[in-house]
Amino acid sequence: MLEIFKSRESGHLDKLTLKTLEKGAWINIVDPTPYELKEVSSLTDVEPDFLRSALDDEERSHIDVEDESVMILINVPIVYEEESYDTLPLSIILTKQYIITVCLEETPVIANFNERTARLFHTYKKTQFLFEILYRTATFYLRYIRQINKISDEIEDQLRESMRNSDILRLMELQKGLTYFNASLRSNDAVLEKLLRLRTSRTAEGILEIYEEDEDLLEDVIIETKQAREMVEMYSQILARMADTFSSIISNNQNMIMKFLAAMTVLIAVPTVIAGFFGMNVPVPLSEDDYGFVAVILFAFLCSGIAAYFFWKKRMF
């Protein structure tokens, strides 16, 4: 899918095509075909490798600078299912005339830039628009981290009432999502540090132009990203300890059940052995006594009671 937009001074967002492409336009490419990549590369003079970088879902965040373009590749958060969190590479390519975004799938970060929010960004202010994308990326990380924390609290309450495998698996899924977030935020942080160095470098001169108002936005991006990193690390530790704690509880409960079953087996075995002894088809004590049966029953219960008292003292119940 290929979409082209351009902001107007009035605050509207116009939709263009490759034939009506204008300077200052934003080209958004999602899961492109080879033909779309070839057309965009030809019209914008961007290296095809730049356009293909984000199509590798294992690509890590980095910055590449060519003669006429700068590519900033970051990892953005996504939610595949209700509780399945992951990240995807998103490349943002700046040229002297255009800004291009490439991703394998539609992401909430890019979807947030639309006609309804058109007054909040300008496609022709390329550097500012870049920082807006980075800022939205950081805010979505924070949003999803808070969601994960809320879900983990719900799972914890459920686990306190009953231990179910499904809840443990949900906890592991959340922990996996935080692991992806942690790795992506670390690499994104490295990209921001390189951006800070690039602003004073001549290698991106004429392409990456940072004005005074952009400085404040870049600082906000750095602050939000660091906050997201700190929250991810904190919640990762909490989830890891929670998973270890509940695993220990489950293991302890299993041990308690096994101890209880072993004790009950012994208690049942005692009267069974006594009954078997007195039920043999040979002369045995009390065989001629009218109250022999009652005596054997009482003796069996007495022995079971003594065994039960012993187990109770050993806290096996």
Side-chain angles (χ1 to χ4, degrees), residues 244-298:
D244 292 341
T245 299
F246 282 113
S247 296
S248 299
I249 292 173
I250 291 172
S251 179
N252 184 62
N253 288 344
Q254 288 178 337
N255 292 336
M256 294 294 293
I257 291 171
M258 293 304 296
K259 286 169 64 177
F260 175 78
L261 291 176
M264 291 302 298
T265 301
V266 172
L267 293 181
I268 295 173
V270 170
T272 302
V273 170
I274 294 174
F277 176 77
F278 282 95
M280 290 188 296
N281 193 22
V282 295
V284 293
L286 303 176
S287 60
E288 302 297 332
D289 195 325
D290 293 338
Y291 298 99
F293 177 77
V294 176
V296 170
I297 294 296
L298 292 176

Side-chain angles (χ1 to χ4, degrees), residues 43-70:
L43 287 172
T44 60
D45 293 326
V46 173
E47 289 290 331
D49 290 340
F50 271 24
L51 297 173
R52 286 193 291 264
S53 293
L55 303 182
D56 180 6
D57 57 2
E58 298 296 330
E59 190 76 20
R60 306 315 302 165
S61 302
H62 64 276
I63 295 179
D64 283 336
V65 181
E66 291 291 340
D67 295 336
E68 299 294 330
S69 58
V70 177

